Amino acid sequence: MVHPQVPVDTSSCVVDTGDTTWILVSTIFVLGMSPALAFFEAGMLRSKNTISIISQIVVGNVLLSVMWLFFGYSLSFGTSFLGVIGGLEHLFWIDLPYNKCGNMAANIPAALFALFQMMFASITPLLMTGAYAERFKWDAFLIFTVAWEVFVYYPVCHWIWGKGFLHQLGVLDYAGGIVIHTTAGIASLVVALFIGPRKDFFAFHGEYPPSNLPLAATGAALLWMGWFGFNGGSALGAGSLAVSSVVSTHVGGCCSAIVWLVLSMRAHRPAATSILNGVLAGLAGITPASGYVNTQATIVIGLACGFLSYYGCHFSKGRMHVDDALDVHMIHGATGALGSLFVGVFGNLQATDMGGHFFEFQSGPKQFLLQLFGVSFVTVYSGIVTYVILVSLQRSLGDLTHDEDKLDMGLDWVDHGEVAYHKLHVLSSNSIVDGTSRGGGGGGGG
């Protein structure tokens, strides 16, 4: 087992069947997080946009996976050009053998590492669907997702994980607190501010009633399971580091959920939506630190992420009136950034055994400042590039959202000609659409 900071010695690399099996399983777990995300978001949103959000995530996963195969992996993990972007030697996964290690991971085939990273690259832009949900036009979604992946995710992934300039400086991100959650989180905030709030945002105080909480809970549970592969697989092998990462993942999610539970009970009642959001906030927050901190430190990180995300969501929607539909910038962005900073507080940067000590402060002020710089730089970069993409799209496509009449019908009917639930109103209060009205089938949507 090699701790992520230790350079891979490819000269003595031998593919290990145990490590390979674990990363294969982890890859499948992370792939399952995409449909889980679709279930969660569809359940939390209004029923008339169910097909829309599911289609965005499924199509996005397909499109982003092919992009990763064609050129994304090479730009992210190819030979670094000035520490900014990777080279083109791995286009179409050229020179990524299935029976030999590569220069990024010991003891697993190079192609498996690329496949595992494909899952990360695919889900990252799709986190933002929860921010602009129920508003983006279909063509705007497609172009935005492709452009953001190319101009934000690939460069940032290379900077930190592909041995780019932030990696060379010493910035650490175990499983995606900066590369995934910070980039998508700040981009979600920018998108939400750019396209503006949904109709009746103030009437509902930004909290529209969810259409299907059991579906949302199912999605959250599957995300929780998938996160074990997300973080545990980032150990790139089966061993003590993978065990520590899985333990931290679960503990972090649970501690954050307890904070949300207590605060929601104090405010009114134990809302199911609060508990689900609390779990996800803790999972996102522990992601960058799960391979660097022990269990005791994980408790602190989980609790801190719970408080930050809970009060952050209420401040953002209640005071600032930001219509990030599912609070992505807080649940993922703010917690991912906070967890990344905690690497500079509690991080054990050498040992693979995270047990046996109550708290460790081995990182020191230098590592904390490096983490602060990395989080700040990536936040600014992702925010600016996201804004530029949105402005460019608006100039070329016009409005990125439909007019209010179409939004009232729901994106299921407007963009897809289908509806999710049988015989629900979509055209007007007096007009009922059934599954045979358009597009050859489907349920209803409202």
Side-chain angles (χ1 to χ4, degrees):
M1 171 52 59
V2 179
H3 203 259
Q5 286 82 356
V6 181
V8 176
D9 182 9
T10 56
S11 63
S12 60
C13 176
V14 177
V15 172
D16 181 88
T17 55
D19 292 341
T20 299
T21 300
W22 169 238
I23 305 306
L24 278 171
V25 172
S26 296
T27 300
I28 296 169
F29 276 13
V30 181
L31 173 61
M33 294 177 74
S34 290
L37 180 67
F39 294 158
F40 174 74
E41 294 188 358
M44 294 289 283
L45 298 170
R46 291 175 288 182
S47 57
K48 63 185 178 181
N49 299 301
T50 299
I51 298 296
S52 169
I53 199 69
I54 291 175
S55 298
Q56 286 179 1
I57 292 174
V58 172
V59 171
N61 195 313
V62 171
L63 180 61
L64 295 166
S65 294
V66 172
M67 290 171 55
W68 187 255
L69 171 67
F70 283 11
F71 56 86
Y73 177 82
S74 193
L75 292 176
S76 300
F77 290 99
T79 302
S80 186
F81 177 74
L82 300 178
V84 175
I85 199 69
L88 302 178
E89 67 268 29
H90 296 306
L91 293 179
F92 303 98
W93 287 13
I94 294 172
D95 197 28
L96 291 180
Y98 288 80
N99 59 348
K100 296 180 181 179
C101 304
N103 63 349
M104 301 304 302
N107 302 332
I108 65 172
L112 177 56
F113 176 80
L115 182 65
F116 181 63
Q117 288 295 330
M118 176 190 284
M119 303 304 120
F120 288 68
S122 298
I123 199 171
T124 302
L126 303 181
L127 296 176
M128 292 182 286
T129 58
Y132 53 71
E134 305 188 326
R135 283 162 288 177
F136 247 20
K137 293 179 179 178
W138 180 255
D139 53 352
F141 155 73
L142 286 175
I143 299 173
F144 174 78
T145 300
V146 170
W148 194 90
E149 178 86 342
V150 172
F151 294 109
V152 178
Y153 184 81
Y154 294 163
V156 175
C157 179
H158 180 76
W159 297 346
I160 297 179
W161 289 341
K163 302 181 181 179
F165 78 96
L166 289 179
H167 170 84
Q168 295 169 17
L169 286 175
V171 176
L172 302 175
D173 183 2
Y174 180 73
I178 302 176
V179 175
I180 296 173
H181 297 291
T182 299
T183 56
I186 187 62
S188 296
L189 176 60
V190 172
V191 173
L193 292 172
F194 190 87
I195 64 177
R198 292 164 290 176
K199 182 180 178 181
D200 297 326
F201 174 83
F202 294 99
F204 286 101
H205 305 289
E207 300 292 344
Y208 295 80
S211 63
N212 192 332
L213 270 177
L215 181 62
T218 300
L222 293 174
L223 283 169
W224 197 342
M225 291 176 59
W227 233 295
F228 293 150
F230 201 90
N231 292 349
S234 293
L236 301 178
S240 61
L241 184 57
V243 174
S244 173
S245 301
V246 170
V247 170
S248 290
T249 301
H250 190 63
V251 172
C254 290
C255 288
S256 175
I258 288 173
V259 171
W260 276 73
L261 173 62
V262 171
L263 293 178
S264 65
M265 290 176 65
R266 179 185 176 192
H268 43 86
R269 57 191 180 278
T273 52
S274 294
I275 299 170
L276 298 179
N277 280 328
V279 171
L280 297 181
L283 293 172
I286 197 58
T287 292
S290 56
Y292 301 134
V293 300
N294 61 21
T295 306
Q296 294 75 36
T298 296
I299 297 171
V300 176
I301 296 173
L303 294 174
C305 288
F307 280 105
L308 173 64
S309 55
Y310 181 88
Y311 286 112
C313 287
H314 283 74
F315 176 79
S316 179
K317 276 185 174 172
R319 298 290 184 87
M320 303 304 295
H321 309 305
V322 176
D323 191 10
D324 175 346
L326 298 181
D327 302 306
V328 179
H329 70 292
M330 282 295 169
I331 301 297
H332 293 272
T335 57
L338 181 62
S340 300
L341 296 179
F342 270 118
V343 173
V345 178
F346 296 120
N348 181 343
L349 308 183
Q350 298 298 328
T352 58
D353 179 12
M354 295 300 171
H357 303 281
F358 191 67
F359 285 114
E360 295 178 295
F361 300 92
Q362 295 188 14
S363 297
K366 178 181 178 181
Q367 189 62 50
F368 180 82
L369 292 175
L370 284 172
Q371 296 302 110
L372 179 62
F373 173 77
V375 168
S376 302
F377 187 88
V378 169
T379 297
V380 172
Y381 175 81
S382 178
I384 291 175
V385 175
T386 300
Y387 180 76
V388 170
I389 293 172
L390 291 170
V391 170
S392 301
L393 283 179
Q394 189 175 63
R395 289 178 178 176
S396 59
L397 300 178
D399 289 338
L400 304 182
T401 62
H402 292 291
D403 58 49
E404 283 196 2
D405 289 338
K406 290 184 177 179
L407 292 177
D408 285 341
M409 296 180 198
L411 299 185
D412 289 2
W413 184 253
V414 171
D415 282 341
H416 303 281
E418 298 174 307
V419 283
Y421 299 103
H422 185 57
K423 290 187 176 179
L424 292 179
H425 298 274
V426 294
L427 297 180
S428 71
S429 59
N430 298 316
S431 178
I432 305 279
V433 177
D434 64 26
T436 61
S437 297
R438 183 177 176 185

